[in-house]
Amino acid sequence: MTTPFDDDHLREECGIFGIYRHAEAARHVALGLHALQHRGQEAAGIVAFDGARFTAHRAMGHVGDVFESDRVMAELSGYAAIGHVRYATFGATILRNVQPLFADLAFGGLAIAHNGNLTNAMALRRRLVKEGCIFQSTSDTEVILHLVATSSKGGEIDRLIDALNQIEGAYSLVALTEGMMMGMRDPLGVRPLVMGRLDDGAMVFASETCALDIIGADFVRDVEPGEIVIVSDEGIRSLKPFTTLKPRFCIFEHIYFARPDSVVEGRSVYDVRKQIGAELARESGLPADVVIPVPDSGVPASIGYAAEAGIPFELGIIRNHYVGRTFIEPTQQIRNLGVKLKHNANRPQLQGKRVILVDDSIVRGTTSLKIVQMVRDAGATEVHMRIASPPTTHSCFYGVDTPERSQLLAASHDVEGMRKFIQADSLAFISMDGLYRAMGEVRRNPDSPQFCDACFTGDYPISLTDHWGGDEDQSRRRRAAG
């Protein structure tokens, strides 16, 4: 759900959840999607299977609104279900794009929920349309369905592998057929996916461990990069049909996207963010009276900064958690006031003080400018901005809704130029090596980076066929070349 008061953060596009062999599968999926709501607020959907038929419900809005009706949940009967929460990119907020997508294929029904982005989807789509495929949505996920449908391979698993061998991009998928559920990640493991188990033996897939917690499931392990995990009545089996590559997990999951109570790739998100704050203090500390987070994403890093610097931590900005679509016509004057609907200064903690203001990132810089001014208006004598990530200089093409590069402040301004734009007394970002140290690494390996950090470096680990204007033949040659 968008508002005219954009909080100027990068946005994840979606979260996925699936459960197999549970009498209340769809209700558990709805709970899991609640825990993943931070990954997508535009729309939600569930597809369930009861052994004879698939049922589905999809709608625009938050999970609690989409699945609040007992009638809706009663219709989603069955022992297996997958679900999806979505944050749409520009121009794609329409019901027919809401996942999971479903199709009746030669081998039976197939439902797919997808977190990420295919970077050769348009090239594949052009080929499929020429071959006679009719698309019902503008979602790149539908490309996968058509590739499975048109595959010349035998069973559904071989067809799915054939489809995945043709795509490029970052993805975590959960898929449901009449006989199995599958969870899978791209060969670089850019997007997250974990497995869990309930006491009764039901198996769970989820984007984050916090979604396992809400239903009382035990964490089993991460689905590995390039792995397909198949859950059926015959048990669990793992396939690794792709070329083994060095993983490049999205580092921004740790900075902002994942919930702080999740454990991602074996690391506590909360602890990593505190370590980022501590590194910030070591790299760019200066005398101050108070450390203030920009809520909520700046809180763990602020705690780490304050502890390392020996400066008091206070909640100097209070967030209103109940902002949705405004009932006020969003004129430019109202837009200018909009930041106060989400954030309000806690004046007694700011007045007469030198303030360290900690946030996770600066994208366009417009909200940072307003927050710095808000803190000054509350009586701060100095406002020093500290950012828990390096400057965001490049757009993401791997499943994160990012402005065009021309709209990224760091793409056209150096740090001093950004400082002047947001009108802070000083501005500093964590260094790239400092970020990697907070992740437990010695430093970033420039020859073989440990994470996907393309939004900071422009080092894109997966081909951008559609963005570069390539065709499918070029894409195929790049894949063949490794």
Side-chain angles (χ1 to χ4, degrees):
M1 180 177 293
T2 57
T3 81
F5 316 123
D6 192 339
D7 60 1
D8 202 23
H9 283 112
L10 302 180
R11 296 181 184 272
E12 258 284 14
E13 283 191 32
C14 44
I16 56 178
F17 191 94
I19 185 168
Y20 189 83
R21 277 297 166 194
H22 194 285
E24 298 285 347
R27 293 183 187 274
H28 279 67
V29 170
L31 288 171
L33 295 181
H34 269 288
L36 299 174
Q37 185 75 85
H38 60 289
R39 300 184 72 89
Q41 296 87 49
E42 288 284 355
I46 293 176
V47 172
F49 182 65
D50 65 3
R53 67 186 185 109
F54 290 88
T55 52
H57 183 74
R58 310 174 188 88
M60 310 305 297
H62 287 176
V63 176
D65 299 321
V66 174
F67 298 109
E68 67 175 349
S69 166
D70 286 339
R71 177 188 59 79
V72 167
M73 297 310 300
E75 290 175 354
L76 294 168
S77 61
Y79 60 84
I82 63 174
H84 188 270
V85 288
R86 183 169 193 268
Y87 180 82
T89 53
F90 178 77
T93 309
I94 49 179
L95 186 58
R96 68 173 180 266
N97 284 340
V98 179
Q99 298 184 40
L101 299 186
F102 174 80
D104 274 312
L105 305 182
F107 57 77
L110 171 65
I112 292 181
H114 171 208
N115 172 210
N117 190 55
L118 307 187
T119 56
N120 65 336
M122 295 306 298
L124 289 169
R125 188 184 182 104
R126 286 192 292 269
R127 188 202 85 193
L128 289 163
V129 168
K130 286 180 182 178
E131 293 175 355
C133 293
I134 299 173
F135 282 77
Q136 301 297 318
S137 75
T138 59
S139 168
D140 55 357
T141 311
E142 191 177 358
V143 170
I144 302 173
L145 282 176
H146 282 288
L147 290 173
V148 174
T150 58
S151 174
S152 60
K153 302 297 182 180
E156 57 259 58
I157 295 174
D158 289 336
R159 283 173 174 244
L160 183 61
I161 292 172
D162 184 36
L164 296 180
N165 271 318
Q166 299 177 64
I167 66 176
E168 298 169 352
Y171 59 83
S172 290
L173 300 170
V174 287
L176 179 63
T177 71
E178 294 174 8
M180 67 187 73
M181 180 176 291
M182 292 166 280
M184 61 211 86
R185 293 174 72 189
D186 70 80
L188 290 179
V190 177
R191 303 258 70 87
L193 189 65
V194 300
M195 293 174 59
R197 180 185 285 111
L198 287 165
D199 289 342
D200 61 5
M203 295 302 300
V204 183
F205 293 105
S207 291
E208 295 182 38
T209 59
C210 64
L212 304 180
D213 296 338
I214 199 172
I215 64 167
D218 293 324
F219 171 76
V220 175
R221 65 176 177 89
D222 293 285
V223 175
E224 296 179 12
E227 182 183 23
I228 300 175
V229 178
I230 303 159
V231 180
S232 69
D233 289 349
E234 283 70 48
I236 302 170
R237 60 190 175 115
S238 168
L239 299 176
K240 294 185 178 178
F242 312 113
T243 301
T244 301
L245 301 172
K246 187 176 184 294
R248 293 284 295 274
F249 184 71
C250 172
I251 202 165
F252 223 104
E253 290 279 353
H254 288 283
I255 295 168
Y256 175 67
F257 296 139
R259 245 175 57 168
D261 52 333
S262 285
V263 175
V264 176
E265 297 289 288
R267 295 176 173 92
S268 161
V269 174
Y270 181 77
D271 288 344
V272 166
R273 291 177 187 170
K274 283 176 42 178
Q275 286 300 317
I276 290 173
E279 286 287 344
L280 258 177
R282 287 191 283 268
E283 291 185 346
S284 59
L286 78 174
D289 301 308
V290 65
V291 177
I292 300 293
V294 177
D296 290 321
S297 56
V299 171
S302 293
I303 294 172
Y305 189 108
E308 179 67 24
I311 299 172
F313 166 90
E314 298 290 352
L315 296 179
I317 300 172
I318 305 302
R319 181 183 173 190
N320 177 5
H321 291 263
Y322 303 98
V323 177
R325 295 187 184 275
T326 178
F327 61 88
I328 306 170
E329 181 67 23
T331 62
Q332 189 57 47
Q333 181 181 5
I334 294 299
R335 286 177 186 271
N336 291 337
L337 295 174
V339 70
K340 293 185 177 180
L341 277 182
K342 282 196 171 182
H343 301 108
N344 192 46
N346 186 4
R347 186 176 293 270
Q349 304 303 324
L350 301 170
Q351 193 163 19
K353 296 180 180 179
R354 298 168 297 172
V355 174
I356 302 290
L357 195 59
V358 180
D359 204 355
D360 64 273
S361 61
I362 294 179
V363 183
R364 295 181 180 91
T366 50
T367 297
S368 298
L369 169 63
K370 293 173 184 176
I371 288 176
V372 168
Q373 189 59 53
M374 177 192 295
V375 173
R376 286 200 195 282
D377 290 344
T381 59
E382 298 175 17
V383 183
H384 302 277
M385 196 86 175
R386 294 295 180 266
I387 304 300
S389 64
T392 303
T393 54
H394 291 73
S395 300
C396 177
F397 298 93
Y398 302 140
V400 179
D401 183 43
T402 317
E404 293 181 4
R405 194 176 182 211
S406 61
Q407 299 180 41
L408 297 172
L409 189 64
S412 57
H413 295 68
D414 61 13
V415 174
E416 175 59 15
M418 297 176 76
R419 182 200 67 78
K420 290 178 179 177
F421 182 88
I422 68 172
Q423 299 179 16
D425 291 290
S426 73
L427 171 65
F429 296 79
I430 193 170
S431 69
M432 186 63 69
D433 283 343
L435 175 59
Y436 273 71
R437 283 194 296 272
M439 296 294 300
E441 305 286 343
V442 175
R443 63 180 65 85
R444 182 183 191 266
N445 182 347
D447 298 321
S448 181
Q450 301 93 317
F451 298 93
C452 179
D453 53 23
C455 52
F456 308 132
T457 63
D459 180 1
Y460 293 101
I462 301 169
S463 178
L464 304 179
T465 298
D466 292 337
H467 179 68
W468 292 332
D471 58 26
E472 196 192 353
D473 288 336
Q474 292 173 329
S475 173
R476 191 179 299 113
R477 285 194 294 272
R478 277 191 292 269
R479 288 197 302 274

